[in-house]
Amino acid sequence: MYYIGVDLGGTNMAVGLVDENGKILHSDSRPTKSASRPAEAVLEDMADLILQVIRDSGHTLDEVKSIGVGSPGTIVSATAELVSTCNLDWHHVSFRNELQKYIDKPVYADNDANVAGLAEFVAGASQGLENSVFLTLGTGVGAGFVIGKRIYAGTHNVGAEIGHMNIMADGGEPCPCGASGCWERYASATALIREGNKACLAHPESAMNAVTGGDPEKMTAKVVLDAAKAGDPAAVEVFNNYVRYLALGIINIINILDPEMIVLGGGVSKAGDFLLNAVREEVARRVFYDEVAYASIELAQLGNDAGIIGAAMLGL
Ligand SMILES: [Zn+2]
């Protein structure tokens, strides 16, 4: 049997036909165009793309066991309903009801970070492990907890939001969630951009300024990371601070859950071993277990495919 996985984003939706080992056999994508049409129209288009992918793969609908959707926002997985998401401005949309108007198959849905964590568990870095935590270091910090080989999202499906763990008693950087001092304000790509720009003002001679031409809009996490790798002192300082905060949150996760592995994904993780080695070193310095093993920290392996693979595996 095969499984359909849908990676729904604000800009594009990607659909793939996946086998039970998490291998994508065929995939395709279309613009979501969620700003110009209602959710019902987007999901009708999604159903059309699903049927097209099955046809183009050379397989038939009879060979497909289920459809899984990974979406940003708060998802009630039991009913495959999206409660709300700031990326799409949708409220109370049932993926199951809408897709089943067109395709008579079981439909599952979950948050995109949970789904990526599931993908790494089925076919990536944390394959087969009992307990693992996936962190996506992008605009924010998303997390997917796999506990006892299942996604854990809490009693009301709003758990595992570790990016909004508050690490400042007073003040701190304001967060889009409405609070201030959330961990993701210090451990995301957004944090690297903000601090990179501050460092450029304080150190006009920084190599980062040479790349951005002094334009804050041109600052990216990659600019900071590349400059730090090359040894630019201002970028190194930003990077070291970033790693301190990232490691702080990872230590908290280890102290609460004691997982076997923490997997780093998302745009910032593209810095590869440069980031990984720094984080491992900082975690080792802070962890309070001296004589007991603790979680290994690894890079995600599936990249952008994790969205499709994990969504498909919701039906496994
Ligand atoms: Zn927050």
Side-chain angles (χ1 to χ4, degrees):
M1 291 301 273
Y2 300 101
Y3 302 82
I4 289 290
V6 183
D7 182 4
L8 176 63
T11 312
N12 276 296
M13 57 170 111
V15 171
L17 184 85
V18 179
D19 71 13
E20 72 275 8
N21 299 315
K23 185 165 180 282
I24 299 176
L25 302 175
H26 183 73
S27 66
D28 208 340
S29 67
R30 277 183 198 177
T32 306
K33 288 190 269 187
S34 63
S36 61
R37 52 184 184 168
E40 290 74 15
V42 174
L43 294 175
E44 181 178 357
D45 202 18
M46 184 186 286
D48 187 63
L49 181 58
I50 289 168
L51 294 171
Q52 185 202 310
V53 164
I54 295 169
R55 266 196 316 272
D56 292 350
S57 73
H59 292 280
T60 64
L61 190 56
D62 284 342
E63 297 173 88
V64 171
K65 191 172 168 215
S66 61
I67 297 165
V69 182
S71 162
T74 303
I75 315 282
V76 180
S77 54
T79 55
E81 186 195 41
L82 186 155
V83 179
S84 69
T85 165
C86 30
N87 297 45
L88 295 160
D89 197 27
W90 289 3
H91 298 275
H92 295 283
V93 174
S94 170
F95 290 111
R96 186 169 295 159
N97 293 351
E98 292 302 321
L99 290 176
Q100 284 180 342
K101 285 181 188 170
Y102 312 100
I103 307 171
D104 183 23
K105 292 286 173 183
V107 174
Y108 305 96
D110 215 322
N111 172 278
D112 48 10
N114 288 342
V115 156
L118 180 63
E120 293 290 337
F121 161 71
V122 173
S126 50
Q127 193 170 4
L129 296 185
E130 192 77 19
N131 305 311
S132 60
V133 173
F134 171 82
L135 296 174
T136 170
L137 310 172
T139 307
V141 175
F145 288 11
V146 174
I147 304 291
K149 301 194 173 191
R150 299 179 71 92
I151 292 176
Y152 180 81
T155 309
H156 309 95
N157 296 281
V158 292
E161 289 289 355
I162 199 91
H164 300 283
M165 168 173 65
N166 213 301
I167 58 168
M168 301 281 166
D170 296 297
E173 295 289 337
C175 182
C177 76
S180 291
C182 295
W183 181 45
E184 70 167 40
R185 293 300 98 195
Y186 304 87
S188 59
T190 307
L192 281 170
I193 292 167
R194 183 190 65 233
E195 297 303 318
N197 277 327
K198 276 192 208 163
C200 278
L201 285 178
H203 305 279
E205 75 288 358
S206 165
M208 294 184 285
N209 258 326
V211 180
T212 64
D215 181 358
E217 295 290 316
K218 295 205 171 118
M219 181 61 74
T220 62
K222 189 171 185 305
V223 169
V224 178
L225 293 163
D226 286 349
K229 251 187 230 182
D232 176 69
V236 167
E237 196 182 334
V238 172
F239 176 72
N240 286 344
N241 247 322
Y242 173 81
V243 168
R244 275 195 325 130
Y245 278 110
L246 181 55
L248 174 69
I250 289 174
I251 289 283
N252 287 341
I253 295 168
I254 290 173
N255 287 342
I256 295 167
L257 288 173
D258 181 26
E260 286 160 275
M261 186 183 288
I262 291 174
V263 182
L264 305 181
V268 177
S269 73
K270 289 184 185 148
D273 287 342
F274 177 64
L275 175 78
L276 188 64
N277 292 335
V279 171
R280 282 175 174 167
E281 219 170 276
E282 184 68 13
V283 169
R285 214 171 58 73
R286 286 166 171 261
V287 80
F288 66 62
Y289 312 109
D290 278 343
E291 291 160 30
V292 184
Y294 63 90
S296 61
I297 303 166
E298 303 291 343
L299 295 170
Q301 292 176 355
L302 301 175
N304 289 338
D305 288 346
I308 289 177
I309 296 169
M313 295 299 96
L314 290 172
L316 197 65

